[in-house]
Amino acid sequence: MRPSRLVLAFCLGCLASAAASGAAPTRMPALIPMPARVELGGGRVAVDPARLRAEGAEAERVAAFFSDLLRRSGQADAAPGAGATITFTLAPAADGPREGYRLHADAAGVRVEAATEAGLFYGAVTLWQLLDAEGRMPAVAIEDAPRFAWRGLMLDSARHLQSVEEIKSLLDAMALHKLNVFHWHLTDDQGWRIEIRRYPRLTEVGGCRIPAGDGGRDPATGTPRPYCGWYTQDQVREVVAYASARHITVVPEIEMPGHAQAAVAAYPALGSVAGPTAVSSDWGVHPYLFNVEEETLAFLENVLAEVIELFPGRYIHVGGDEAFKRQWENSPAVQARMRALGVEDETALQSWFMARIERFLVAHERRLIGWDEILEGGLPAEATVMSWRGTEGGIEAAEQGHDVVMAPSSELYLDYLQTDLPGEPPGRPSIIDLQQVYAFEPVPAALSAAEARHIVGVQANTWTEHLRSFDRVQHAMFPRAAALAEVAWSPKDERDFAAFRARLPAQLERYRALGLGYAHTPFSVRVEVDDRDADAARVRLSNPLGFEDIRYTLDGSAPDADSRRYTGAFDLAPPAELRAAVFDQGSPLAPPVARRIDAASRLRRDEEHLAMCSDSLTLRLEDDGPADGPRAIFNVDIFDPCWEWKDAPLAEARAVRVRAGRIPYYFQLAQDEGNRRVRPAATEHGELQLHAGCDGPELARIALPAGPAADGFATLETALPAGTGSGDLCLFFTGDTRPTIWVLDRVELVPGR
């Protein structure tokens, strides 16, 4: 069974017959990812979920999974009387791809057939999506198989740990998106999260760090409070088995030669510099590298031997990224080792290092995969490249005859923010929205047909520096994982974002039925208020995904499907309590947003409604306290902490009042350190300076206190010079205040000229 192009082919005779009988034509089902070929018949088929027939042990396992999925989504008892039977059939002799399947439903019953259990499993997922709440589905014939063999999702458990149950829930979600590779990032500078029995200090020491600031202190005693956690080998086996039952391969990542600080903290002799270190509480790029002595290589091989026993999949990910060579350059021992090996420079040394590790993996019937930096200095013979710094590394590797998984940070890093709306949680700079994920094409046009065959798949990565809770992990992943799934599974030429968007509301219903967390922000309302005129505010509403049915109220009541529909920008006379939500077929897609528009809001801006002056490296950062529970969130450009209020009504104000917070500066920037802009301070603790525009004259400055008040904030107020006219207001803090940094929380103009 070889899938053809996606054919949204309706059975015209069936439709004509349905029309003659007065039945409504069946519309295309909201499947994600869309199958390779769909042919719709006329009418709908009533299915009895209790009437399952499975032929063979593999089919019985799939039927049991399907039955449990119906139970978990509340559809197990949806049969309208005597419905049709569902039959799962394994047909090993069938011609077709390993993960392909056929699904056929008509009045005689529903049949799912595949050559392998994996294909049958994916057919069951499609069948589940086809069934409605009443146990009915369209008459349909589907012939389907994935475009790529590697359909991956990566989770970083090194920076913040997730429980085994949370990992399992993620694997469940992956299976329902037909994603089949779980890349598990288990070691890094901030934590070693996998038990290695031969080296217990890797978890006893490397599995704990003291978080920066108040988060690392006991609120009652002020003593250090470590953040600890790791997975036992029994827990790892449990996760691997759970994934395997869902036809997901777990690919572990053990970082080397860089991102090694947690390991070096546990066993200092592994490092390239003398002396002990601690597990890092900072984010960013760290200098620690494993040395290249035989004892260290033997250590890494012993670690990998235990990893191989735990993970039966073909691939072991060994990192290889961001291994900046300063420690190797400054180490006499490393330099002597290079001379003994006849290696000319540190880049070639990393290539030698990876080739040595690859030989060990190949001898144990495993295959090395690493980030695209492993290309530098020469690629090991059988290595696979995961291209994250754009697609260029993937192109180079494919041209050399190596397999490639495309995972560029510019399109597929899910810890980047999804929208520019205020409701986004902490995250990394810039925005990767749903449209951008969906538009990514894994096979570059620059490759020949033979080279293109080396693009074995595509993967999205979720780093967790700023994702302290599993709720935030889910927000980052979903619904962007749905877009990834369609990129990875569906035929290239048939991808259409407008059609995908139309199917998303049904996907959200599935998420809710299974209790899967997802981001509401893509389905929320962007509110833009032009309040330069004190007597009339101009309001514009929009949705990041382009959903057009926006309903709103102005009296503070919750909007519903009968509320006023937004048709274009409108004026209102303050005060007003605006509430707005996006609707689809009469149902809201996200909770309503609320915005108070009055005289006070006109003279106040929270940090999320201010612009960054240069936007060099803007992050959405969380405060360090309280130790437990919700924390304040700030937008800050860590390269140039400077905020701008455009068109501020300064002429109406006699003073400016600022609420500023202070958070730890927990970043290591390696070669980017020189890009930080530090404005000179004139007083001991620096100042808050106010300028008329970022390049304009100084309006005022306020000396900063030694620290914030007990609540973590400082309130600063200064008079404006007489004659100050309205215009852009620029605010920044002077001085290098590390290990902390001041951030802006709120700016208020004090009226009364």
Side-chain angles (χ1 to χ4, degrees), residues 92-290:
D95 176 32
R98 191 182 68 83
E99 296 177 295
Y101 65 92
R102 292 188 180 99
L103 188 156
H104 187 273
D106 58 21
V110 180
R111 186 175 184 86
V112 184
E113 180 183 88
T116 66
E117 184 177 344
L120 207 60
F121 181 89
Y122 295 128
V125 171
T126 298
L127 177 57
W128 171 69
Q129 291 191 6
L130 287 166
L131 283 171
D132 64 19
E134 287 74 40
R136 297 182 180 272
M137 63 179 290
V140 66
I142 294 176
E143 185 175 332
D144 196 15
R147 182 184 178 198
F148 292 106
W150 184 301
R151 304 181 301 280
L153 194 61
M154 189 221 75
L155 177 63
D156 169 15
S157 294
R159 275 54 176 264
H160 283 104
L161 192 78
Q162 303 81 34
S163 71
V164 169
E165 291 308 309
E166 289 168 341
I167 297 290
K168 287 181 176 180
S169 70
L170 175 57
L171 293 169
D172 284 335
M174 287 180 62
L176 300 181
H177 290 80
K178 299 177 183 168
L179 301 172
N180 68 341
V181 177
F182 175 50
H183 174 176
W184 203 3
H185 187 81
L186 289 166
T187 73
D188 217 298
D189 300 297
Q190 297 84 6
W192 185 285
R193 305 294 177 203
I194 178 171
E195 178 191 16
I196 303 297
R197 290 175 176 168
R198 185 163 181 167
Y199 303 111
R201 287 176 59 84
L202 284 173
T203 47
E204 292 170 359
V205 175
C208 292
R209 68 170 180 265
I210 305 298
D214 290 342
R217 290 189 290 269
D218 185 282
T221 65
T223 57
R225 188 172 80 161
Y227 178 95
C228 298
W230 55 85
Y231 303 100
T232 68
Q233 293 198 1
D234 287 342
Q235 288 175 320
V236 169
R237 290 189 182 93
E238 182 181 351
V239 168
V240 169
Y242 195 86
S244 179
R246 285 145 187 80
H247 301 278
I248 296 170
T249 299
V250 184
V251 175
E253 183 178 358
I254 308 297
E255 278 272 13
M256 59 185 80
H259 288 287
Q261 188 165 338
V264 173
Y267 294 98
L270 301 173
S272 298
V273 295
T277 186
V279 179
S280 180
S281 61
D282 292 344
W283 313 132
V285 180
H286 293 58
Y288 279 86
L289 302 174
F290 289 116

Side-chain angles (χ1 to χ4, degrees), residues 359-413:
R359 287 195 298 273
F360 177 83
L361 293 175
V362 169
H364 290 77
E365 300 180 328
R366 295 295 189 273
R367 189 164 183 176
L368 179 148
I369 184 170
W371 303 108
D372 56 64
E373 284 96 329
I374 67 173
L375 281 159
E376 298 166 6
L379 201 58
E382 298 186 26
T384 298
V385 169
M386 187 168 280
S387 189
W388 75 276
R389 296 178 301 175
T391 59
E392 293 79 9
I395 292 172
E396 181 182 349
E399 289 174 340
Q400 295 178 19
H402 291 271
D403 286 348
V404 173
V405 176
M406 287 295 191
S409 61
S410 51
E411 279 83 20
L412 297 180
Y413 268 31

Side-chain angles (χ1 to χ4, degrees), residues 35 66 92 201 284 349 354 457 484 486 497-498 582 596 628 680 744:
F66 177 74
R201 287 176 59 84
L349 181 62
M354 286 298 172
L484 170 73
E486 201 138 300
F497 184 75
V582 174
R596 176 74 180 175
D628 300 297
L744 207 61

Side-chain angles (χ1 to χ4, degrees), residues 391-392 394-395 398 404 406 440-448 452 455 492:
T391 59
E392 293 79 9
I395 292 172
V404 173
M406 287 295 191
F440 176 65
E441 171 47 44
V443 181
L447 296 178
S448 68
I455 308 299
K492 170 189 174 182

